[in-house]
């Protein structure tokens, strides 16, 4: 009898070992649902059961932004209303602000165990990033009987780049406050932290400036599809609301006021400051020959700097040569050239940009500009150059050599108004090339990563959506999703940890979230699933291939 009992005991012990081994192995092989992939993520055994009854503890020394966001999102997406509890005993979801940094590499540490969840960080931003990782696991878990059985993990995480940006052009087409908030929500969900807002350009000026009300009232009329569309713009109250909304998600908002080119809408409102243009780009520039122009622009920039607390102003400074021909004839510009001994229009452009940059620096802000400024003498330590001309890699190398901080956003693969599949027709291509999600994932390449200046000078990466060919919210979603996920992982995850096949597995789960949220997204696994576009009919000559056109135009010139 004793022998038999021993045998049963041994068998039972053996079964426990096998079961533990299998569950351990299953945990190890479990696909993490988190995008971008954290620096380190270890699956653990077991589940944590989250329900309405689970208390949430927020460290009293924390401002509570992360916990507020966590509770709001949990209610919004899962209908669970958790309450705060002053006691930190488990089981609970605990947010702990460590007074000193325990691990020099981690922005946050997240521990999900069957006994509870702990997010630990030494900064509010870290707590927020940790809460986002929990929410990604939450949203990828089905609700059963008003409970979530969350898989357990130990995560330690930090971003590769500090600048993880997205630019939206609302001059060509205006989408409005609710859509912008929606985009900010998704940016936060993917740990993107810079919203670059292209608010002024040829078709429309979208920003209320109290000192110059015609800018928005007249300059706000029209868009790329319809030059007579009623004025659309953001009031200063709207801007305050958006900036606060973004700040609650640890996103900085960076305004772009494009100059001295792309100034057509402003010039419609205040023609006295126009430097003219040419037949193709009428009234394209501001007038650098008039002192009054600098007074006017400085007054605008002062208002902008107060409105946007990021302390950064993007001045555009791109493509000035598209429409500065009139400077050759304008008496004020000609007098300036003589007076300052500027030998050509590029020197006039540099003079203009330099003066504007000086004013911005005096206001205590940083100057951001597209890569055309690389040849200028802007203050190196106060300027960030946005490398966008993928076909001019030499400009990036020049920026590195001169010591400019840079944000990488080359058209290929980071312009999201480029199509993402060979079958798509609405959007841009460059000599037949476009922007599949894999190309976003694989950026930056080795040459950039291994450049000796890269570590010191690259602030990060950013995707830009220009909206000549994007006129509806659905089409905007179609261009943004799912590429935003690859952007996030390229910006956050250490390149040595990136793995496209693993990303694809996680992406499949995130496509389900897009569907649940009612987004009109592109499915790279089933390219024909959704039509390319189902919004209102587009204007017939909506440029399918802008850069081809531009190059042809240049040849004609
Ligand atoms: C740009 O695409 N003109 C910056």
């Amino acid at each position: 009898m004793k022998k038999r009992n021993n045998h049963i005991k041994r068998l039972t012990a053996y079964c426990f070992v096998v079961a533990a081994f299998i569950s351990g192995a299953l945990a190890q092989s479990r696909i993490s649902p988190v995008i971008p992939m954290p620096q380190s993520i270890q699956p653990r055994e077991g589940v944590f059961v989250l329900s309405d009854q689970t208390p949430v503890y927020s460290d009293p020394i924390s401002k509570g932004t992360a916990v507020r966001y966590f509770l709001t999102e949990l209610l919004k997406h899962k209908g669970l209303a958790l309450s705060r509890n002053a006691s930190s005993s488990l089981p609970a979801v605990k947010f702990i602000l460590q007074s000193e940094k325990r691990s020099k590499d981690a922005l946050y540490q997240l521990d999900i165990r069957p006994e509870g969840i702990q997010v630990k960080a030494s900064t509010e931003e870290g707590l927020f990033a940790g809460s986002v990782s929990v929410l990604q696991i939450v949203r990828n878990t089905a609700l059963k009987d008003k409970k979530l059985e969350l898989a357990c993990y130990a995560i330690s995480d930090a971003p590769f780049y500090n600048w993880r940006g997205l630019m939206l052009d609302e001059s060509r087409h205006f989408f409005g406050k609710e859509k912008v908030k929606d985009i900010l929500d998704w940016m936060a969900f993917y740990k993107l932290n810079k919203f670059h807002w292209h608010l002024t350009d040829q078709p429309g000026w979208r920003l209320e400036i109290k000192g110059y009300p015609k800018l928005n009232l007249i300059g706000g009329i029209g868009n790329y599809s319809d030059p007579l569309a009623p004025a659309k713009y953001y009031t200063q109250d709207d801007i305050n609301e958006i900036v606060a909304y973004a700040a609650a998600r640890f996103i900085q908002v960076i305004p772009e006021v494009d100059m001295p080119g792309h100034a057509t809408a402003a010039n419609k409102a205040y023609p006295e400051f126009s430097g003219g243009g040419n037949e193709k780009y009428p009234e394209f520039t501001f007038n650098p020959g008039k002192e009054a122009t600098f007074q006017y622009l400085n007054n605008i920039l002062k208002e902008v700097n107060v409105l946007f607390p990021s302390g950064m102003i993007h001045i555009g400074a791109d493509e000035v040569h598209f429409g500065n021909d009139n400077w050759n004839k304008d008496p004020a510009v000609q007098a300036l050239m003589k007076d300052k001994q500027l030998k050509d229009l590029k020197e006039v452009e540099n003079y203009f940009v330099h003066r504007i940059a000086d004013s911005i620096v005096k206001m205590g802000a940083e100057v951001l500009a597209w890569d055309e400024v690389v040849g200028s003498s802007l203050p190196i330590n106060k300027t960030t150059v946005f490398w966008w001309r993928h076909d001019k890699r030499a400009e990036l190398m020049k920026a590195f050599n001169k010591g400019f901080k840079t944000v990488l956003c080359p058209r290929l693969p980071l312009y999201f108004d480029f199509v993402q599949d060979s079958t798509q027709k609405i959007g841009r291509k460059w000599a037949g090339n476009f922007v599949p999600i894999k190309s976003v994932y694989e950026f930056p390449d080795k040459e950039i990563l291994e450049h000796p200046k890269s570590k010191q000078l690259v602030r990060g990466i950013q995707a830009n959506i220009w909206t000549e060919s994007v006129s509806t919210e659905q089409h905007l979603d179609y261009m943004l999703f799912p590429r935003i996920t690859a952007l996030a992982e390229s910006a956050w995850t250490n390149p040595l940890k990136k793995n496209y096949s693993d990303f694809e597995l996680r992406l499949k789960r995130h496509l389900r979230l897009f569907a649940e949220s009612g987004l009109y997204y592109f499915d790279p696994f089933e390219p024909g699933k959704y039509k390319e576009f189902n919004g209102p009919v587009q204007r017939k000559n909506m440029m399918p291939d802008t850069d081809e056109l531009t190059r042809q135009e240049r040849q004609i010139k």
Side-chain angles (χ1 to χ4, degrees):
M1 190 64 186
K2 196 167 172 209
K3 215 170 164 187
R4 199 165 158 243
N5 275 350
N6 278 348
H7 183 66
I8 290 173
K9 268 190 202 156
R10 267 207 306 275
L11 201 64
T12 314
Y14 175 75
C15 287
F16 270 121
V17 170
V18 170
F21 178 78
I22 291 175
S23 89
L26 279 177
Q28 289 304 319
S29 66
R30 196 192 312 129
I31 300 161
S32 129
V34 181
I35 294 179
M37 176 58 92
Q39 197 173 59
S40 143
I41 175 164
Q42 297 299 325
R44 288 185 190 286
E45 287 169 44
V47 293
F48 174 70
V49 180
L50 185 78
S51 75
D52 269 347
Q53 304 310 310
T54 312
V56 175
Y57 169 81
S58 175
D59 203 318
I61 57 168
S62 154
K63 286 190 194 133
T65 313
V67 87
R68 219 165 16 250
Y69 179 75
F70 178 75
L71 291 173
T72 312
E73 293 292 297
L74 204 54
L75 184 59
K76 181 164 140 197
H77 295 286
K78 295 294 179 185
L80 293 179
L82 275 59
S83 42
R84 290 182 175 82
N85 193 330
S87 148
S88 67
S89 58
L90 291 169
V93 182
K94 300 202 305 186
F95 290 83
I96 297 164
L97 193 59
Q98 293 166 321
S99 51
E100 72 208 58
K101 205 161 178 175
R102 295 278 160 81
S103 150
K104 72 177 173 3
D105 295 328
L107 176 67
Y108 71 90
Q109 282 168 321
L110 166 61
D111 206 4
I112 309 182
R113 295 173 181 268
E115 308 85 59
I117 298 181
Q118 284 199 46
V119 183
K120 285 190 198 161
S122 58
T123 60
E124 301 283 346
E125 184 194 4
L127 286 183
F128 184 80
S131 79
V132 170
S133 294
V134 183
L135 284 166
Q136 286 215 350
I137 294 165
V138 160
R139 286 184 62 185
N140 277 291
T141 305
L143 196 65
K144 275 190 243 151
D145 299 330
K146 297 197 173 169
K147 290 191 173 86
L148 291 165
E149 291 189 359
L150 302 178
C152 294
Y153 294 95
I155 294 178
S156 174
D157 203 3
F160 188 71
Y161 286 127
N162 287 324
W163 189 290
R164 305 179 299 277
L166 182 70
M167 187 217 81
L168 177 66
D169 164 16
E170 287 211 85
S171 174
R172 273 44 179 246
H173 286 107
F174 184 87
F175 298 93
K177 214 161 51 171
E178 292 315 309
K179 188 62 195 167
V180 168
K181 286 185 181 174
D182 189 38
I183 290 173
L184 291 169
D185 280 338
W186 284 106
M187 284 180 68
F189 193 61
Y190 289 116
K191 303 191 176 96
L192 298 173
N193 65 351
K194 308 281 185 229
F195 179 59
H196 170 174
W197 213 357
H198 189 81
L199 288 164
T200 75
D201 211 304
Q202 288 153 268
W205 179 284
R206 307 298 180 202
L207 173 62
E208 180 189 27
I209 298 293
K210 302 263 193 209
Y212 300 96
K214 285 191 285 184
L215 279 171
N216 49 291
L217 294 174
I218 293 174
I221 296 171
N223 59 44
Y224 191 84
S225 307
D226 175 5
L228 297 176
K232 292 270 186 202
Y233 57 88
Y234 292 101
T235 63
Q236 295 204 354
D237 284 347
D238 292 335
I239 298 288
N240 288 332
E241 189 180 325
I242 297 275
V243 165
Y245 194 86
R249 287 154 183 75
F250 290 84
I251 298 171
Q252 286 183 302
V253 183
I254 297 106
E256 180 180 348
V257 182
D258 208 342
M259 59 182 79
H262 290 279
T264 324
N267 288 339
K268 195 161 64 172
Y270 292 94
E272 57 272 41
F273 306 114
S274 173
N278 56 25
E279 205 177 321
K280 177 79 187 164
Y281 296 96
E283 307 303 334
F284 186 71
T285 62
F286 289 118
N287 192 323
K290 293 183 180 170
E291 273 309 298
T293 307
F294 291 100
Q295 195 66 49
Y296 163 66
L297 292 174
N298 285 346
N299 290 340
I300 292 171
L301 291 172
K302 271 186 203 154
E303 274 196 43
V304 168
N305 193 39
V306 170
L307 263 181
F308 293 90
S310 60
M312 294 179 268
I313 299 180
H314 200 299
I315 58 166
D318 55 324
E319 300 176 326
V320 183
H321 67 281
F322 273 20
N324 61 357
D325 311 49
N326 193 60
W327 288 358
N328 283 320
K329 293 190 289 209
D330 184 274
V333 179
Q334 289 304 303
L336 173 82
M337 289 176 79
K338 216 163 151 198
D339 183 36
K340 304 281 179 207
Q341 299 185 341
L342 306 173
K343 67 175 187 311
D344 57 24
L345 298 193
K346 188 67 193 173
E347 288 198 356
V348 176
E349 185 183 321
N350 286 345
Y351 166 84
F352 174 94
V353 167
H354 206 291
R355 275 194 69 171
I356 293 292
D358 279 352
S359 311
I360 292 176
V361 171
K362 274 202 197 107
M363 289 171 207
E366 274 184 79
V367 182
L368 316 185
W370 300 109
D371 66 36
E372 280 90 335
V373 299
V374 163
S376 71
S377 54
L378 291 188
I380 296 288
N381 58 349
K382 299 279 185 203
T383 305
T384 295
V385 168
F386 285 58
W387 177 57
W388 67 281
R389 292 178 295 178
H390 71 281
D391 54 330
K392 288 186 166 42
R393 196 169 269 245
E395 298 303 307
L396 174 63
M397 296 303 147
K398 223 191 276 176
F400 283 164
N401 291 338
K402 287 183 87 167
F404 280 119
K405 284 172 282 180
T406 54
V407 169
L408 309 172
C409 52
R411 293 187 200 92
L412 294 177
L414 290 177
Y415 272 24
F416 283 3
D417 50 320
F418 278 61
V419 298
Q420 45 193 325
D421 187 72
S422 62
T423 56
Q424 294 170 356
K425 301 215 163 25
I426 305 166
R428 293 160 77 182
K429 284 186 188 161
W430 183 275
N433 293 311
F434 50 94
V435 176
I437 186 166
K438 191 162 189 274
S439 69
V440 180
Y441 193 83
E442 286 170 350
F443 187 80
D445 55 45
K446 251 180 142 166
E447 189 195 7
I448 294 174
L449 286 170
E450 290 176 4
H451 190 284
K453 296 284 183 68
S454 183
K455 225 180 156 89
Q456 176 202 348
L457 296 178
V458 175
R459 291 181 83 168
I461 71 173
Q462 171 171 304
N464 301 330
I465 306 193
W466 302 96
T467 57
E468 285 95 339
S469 59
V470 181
S471 62
T472 66
E473 288 187 26
Q474 277 162 317
H475 196 215
L476 188 58
D477 291 344
Y478 193 75
M479 303 312 265
L480 188 53
F481 298 92
R483 287 184 291 195
I484 190 172
T485 57
L487 168 71
E489 194 143 315
S490 288
W492 180 281
T493 305
N494 187 320
L496 296 172
K497 296 229 163 191
K498 281 162 62 181
N499 175 325
Y500 192 67
S501 330
D502 181 88
F503 169 74
E504 277 189 313
L505 295 173
R506 284 175 286 131
L507 176 60
K508 281 184 183 156
R509 302 179 63 166
H510 283 244
L511 295 186
R512 290 211 301 262
L513 302 183
F514 300 159
E516 268 170 40
S517 304
L519 288 175
Y520 198 79
Y521 64 97
F522 171 67
D523 185 339
F525 303 103
E526 272 185 85
K529 186 168 165 186
Y530 291 126
K531 282 202 300 304
E532 187 175 359
F533 177 70
N534 77 346
V537 176
Q538 301 259 310
R539 215 173 69 177
K540 258 215 208 83
N541 64 351
M542 188 73 84
M543 35 192 190
D545 205 341
T546 325
D547 298 299
E548 301 285 357
L549 291 178
T550 309
R551 266 183 300 147
Q552 279 170 17
E553 283 161 20
R554 279 197 204 122
Q555 275 158 18
I556 292 166
K557 269 185 168 178

